Amino acid sequence: MENISKKTLLETVDTAIEYSAKLGKNLNSVLGAEQQVNETAEESLAEIDAAFDELTKSVLDALNKRRETLKKTICSIREEGLTPLKGCREIIKQTLKNTQCYICEGQDLLDLCDKDRIDSDRCLKFLDQSSLLGSLPAVPNMEEVPAITFQLNLDSLQSSLVSSILSAGEVSRMGPVQITSVLEKPGALLVHWEEVEDRGVDDHTYLLQLAAGFHPTPVPNRSAAVYRDVYRGPDTSCVVRDVRPGAPYTLRVCGCGEQGQWGAWSLPRLATTHQLAFRWSDTNPHYSTSVEGKIATKLDNVVLLLSSIGKQFGPQHSIEFTVLECPEHRQPCEGVGVADLLEETNTLVQRGCVALSAFGSIYVDGVEKTTKLPALTRGSRVTFTCEPLTANRVRLQVDSGNKAVTYDWRVSNTTLSFIALCTQPGWKLMVE
């Protein structure tokens, strides 16, 4: 015991405290997981009750509505069929009554004849009315009047309904599509997702949604999140733009099922970017900027490069230049690009610069390349994508229209600026 130093005891206690803290963190994780299981189970049970109560009401309402419709149809057919028959019946009854009176009149005349008290005028009048005895009212045939029937293939309907009801709804252990990673980008988030459960769907379609704020609960009805669609399509990744640096956001994704119905949502993914969105510098007096620096407009004929607010572009980044407006007669020296170290401020054709000219020429460190891309016009979109290779080498891909080129480029620093050169008014460029 005497050989045990105080330092050893302190180290052991510190180790135990650290171990206790880790256990506490693990315990909190387990408790959070248990809470997620219990909350989602209770919410799903409530959703099942609500859904089947609504379904029961809808089915009963539909059955009663159909029953009333069929009964009204029968009543309508009956009324339509009975109306002329009622008229015919009244005519026959009246004719029969008149005929019976005529018979009584004839019998009275016969009695008078037996008593030799014949009234000639009365007999002549009686005989004149005999022509009515041969005329019978028209009576419809049985084939001409309704014989109302009702048909319902009850066995088939019951089988179909029961089969549909027994297969209604689906319980998933977890959403079949889950977000796998979220990478910070300048003023954006690069979201990746994948199928974690085979849904048996050939044509995959996904829906990605974004909500401002942190909403960690996967239970939709207990969340105050207001989600909006940010992507719908077949890809398994998406760059979500126009997010504010430092602001929290929640993402979720789901896939479209076999019947065209959207499936269960993924677990919510909390994300934030700390990188400022791409912005043009607002210190160049020959350009004006707007929309938080995303759009630059050329003001005069002074030839001077416009650059970003700093070195914002680099590995794992992708920047898109959009030509919102451009003059009718563009100059070959005008264009856009990215830069490492600029030696001159009035040209794109120099060392430390990769640029695409207005006529589609590509310059790398001042050297024009053989490959050409489409010329810049109004509506053109040019994308520069950067991938790291080594500490002083990057791979740049330039996309414009339906063409793309790739260059391995030596740089002094992998953090780069983006630039533009406009020599005349009429240019308006947007970066994202």
Side-chain angles (χ1 to χ4, degrees):
M1 184 69 181
E2 295 178 356
N3 296 329
I4 300 176
S5 66
K6 183 177 180 180
K7 180 180 178 182
T8 302
L9 289 174
L10 286 173
E11 290 177 350
T12 303
V13 171
D14 289 343
T15 301
I17 291 174
E18 182 180 351
Y19 181 64
S20 176
K22 291 180 179 179
L23 287 174
K25 185 177 180 180
N26 288 349
L27 178 60
N28 288 335
S29 297
V30 172
L31 292 175
E34 289 180 353
Q35 182 180 7
Q36 175 176 299
V37 172
N38 285 323
E39 284 188 354
T40 55
E42 290 299 323
E43 184 66 22
S44 295
L45 289 171
E47 288 178 352
I48 288 174
D49 286 338
F52 277 82
D53 287 345
E54 180 65 25
L55 180 62
T56 300
K57 180 178 181 302
S58 298
V59 171
L60 287 177
D61 288 346
L63 287 173
N64 289 329
K65 185 176 181 180
R66 183 57 180 165
R67 173 173 21 199
E68 291 304 313
T69 299
L70 292 171
K71 291 171 71 174
K72 286 180 180 179
T73 301
I74 290 176
C75 292
S76 176
I77 295 173
R78 176 166 62 182
E79 185 64 24
E80 180 184 347
L82 288 178
T83 297
L85 292 177
K86 289 178 180 178
C88 183
R89 178 172 48 123
E90 292 301 319
I91 292 173
I92 293 174
K93 287 174 66 177
Q94 185 61 43
T95 304
L96 179 60
K97 180 179 178 181
N98 293 339
T99 302
Q100 288 174 344
C101 291
Y102 185 73
I103 292 172
C104 291
E105 177 71 11
Q107 289 176 344
D108 287 345
L109 290 173
L110 288 174
D111 290 342
L112 291 174
C113 288
D114 292 339
K115 298 176 181 179
D116 294 327
R117 297 169 56 187
I118 298 175
D119 186 339
S120 299
D121 292 337
R122 187 178 173 188
C123 287
L124 289 173
K125 186 177 179 181
F126 175 79
L127 293 174
D128 288 340
Q129 294 177 349
S130 65
S131 59
L132 299 175
L133 298 177
S135 176
L136 292 175
V139 176
N141 295 324
M142 299 298 287
E143 294 81 4
E144 296 175 336
V145 297
I148 303 171
T149 61
F150 167 68
Q151 302 85 35
L152 173 63
N153 192 336
L154 191 57
D155 291 339
S156 176
L157 180 59
Q158 284 181 328
S159 176
S160 176
L161 285 175
V162 169
S163 176
S164 297
I165 291 172
L166 290 179
S167 62
E170 182 178 348
V171 175
S172 301
R173 185 178 181 274
M174 184 176 290
V177 184
Q178 294 292 325
I179 295 174
T180 55
S181 67
V182 181
L183 301 178
E184 295 185 27
K185 298 295 178 182
L189 297 167
L190 175 58
V191 187
H192 291 270
W193 57 87
E194 66 179 26
E195 300 260 355
V196 296
E197 180 182 310
D198 186 11
R199 296 181 292 128
V201 181
D202 294 331
D203 297 327
H204 296 276
T205 302
Y206 304 101
L207 177 63
L208 178 67
Q209 291 189 333
L210 175 78
F214 279 162
H215 306 282
T217 173
V219 181
N221 294 345
R222 296 186 184 178
S223 173
V226 178
Y227 284 94
R228 62 181 176 90
D229 296 353
V230 292
Y231 174 77
R232 184 192 300 255
D235 296 335
T236 56
S237 65
C238 172
V239 177
V240 181
R241 304 188 187 276
D242 298 324
V243 296
R244 294 189 174 277
Y249 292 92
T250 304
L251 295 148
R252 66 181 184 181
V253 68
C254 68
C256 192
E258 293 182 6
Q259 306 300 323
Q261 300 293 327
W262 294 106
W265 290 106
S266 67
L267 291 173
R269 184 64 175 259
L270 313 179
T272 301
T273 182
H274 296 89
Q275 302 180 29
L276 291 175
F278 292 136
R279 292 177 56 186
W280 295 109
S281 171
D282 59 1
T283 61
N284 192 321
H286 308 292
Y287 299 83
S288 67
T289 60
S290 59
V291 193
E292 298 182 339
K294 292 173 60 175
I295 297 177
T297 303
K298 189 66 165 69
L299 300 176
D300 53 34
N301 293 309
V302 176
V303 180
L304 188 65
L305 283 171
L306 174 66
S307 64
S308 53
I309 57 173
K311 292 197 170 187
Q312 292 188 282
F313 184 71
Q316 306 298 341
H317 287 175
S318 178
I319 185 171
E320 182 178 81
F321 299 89
T322 302
V323 180
L324 301 178
E325 300 287 348
C326 64
E328 182 179 355
H329 301 291
R330 296 169 294 284
Q331 302 300 318
C333 61
E334 297 175 307
V336 296
V338 295
D340 177 16
L341 295 175
L342 291 174
E343 299 177 355
E344 302 178 59
T345 59
N346 61 353
T347 180
L348 296 170
V349 185
Q350 59 175 303
R351 290 186 59 82
C353 176
V354 175
L356 174 67
S357 78
F359 289 179
S361 299
I362 300 174
Y363 296 92
V364 179
D365 287 328
V367 178
E368 183 176 0
K369 297 299 181 178
T370 304
T371 305
K372 285 184 176 292
L373 295 180
L376 299 183
T377 59
R378 181 179 179 181
S380 292
R381 295 177 181 269
V382 180
T383 303
F384 284 74
T385 304
C386 182
E387 296 180 11
L389 294 179
T390 64
N392 60 353
R393 186 178 290 274
V394 295
R395 176 165 292 160
L396 283 180
Q397 178 171 308
V398 186
D399 296 82
S400 180
N402 295 321
K403 296 187 66 177
V405 292
T406 302
Y407 301 104
D408 290 350
W409 187 33
R410 181 177 293 276
V411 293
S412 61
N413 192 309
T414 55
T415 305
L416 310 169
S417 303
F418 55 88
I419 56 175
L421 182 65
C422 305
T423 66
Q424 55 189 316
W427 282 97
K428 183 179 285 189
L429 301 172
M430 181 174 69
V431 290
E432 288 185 302

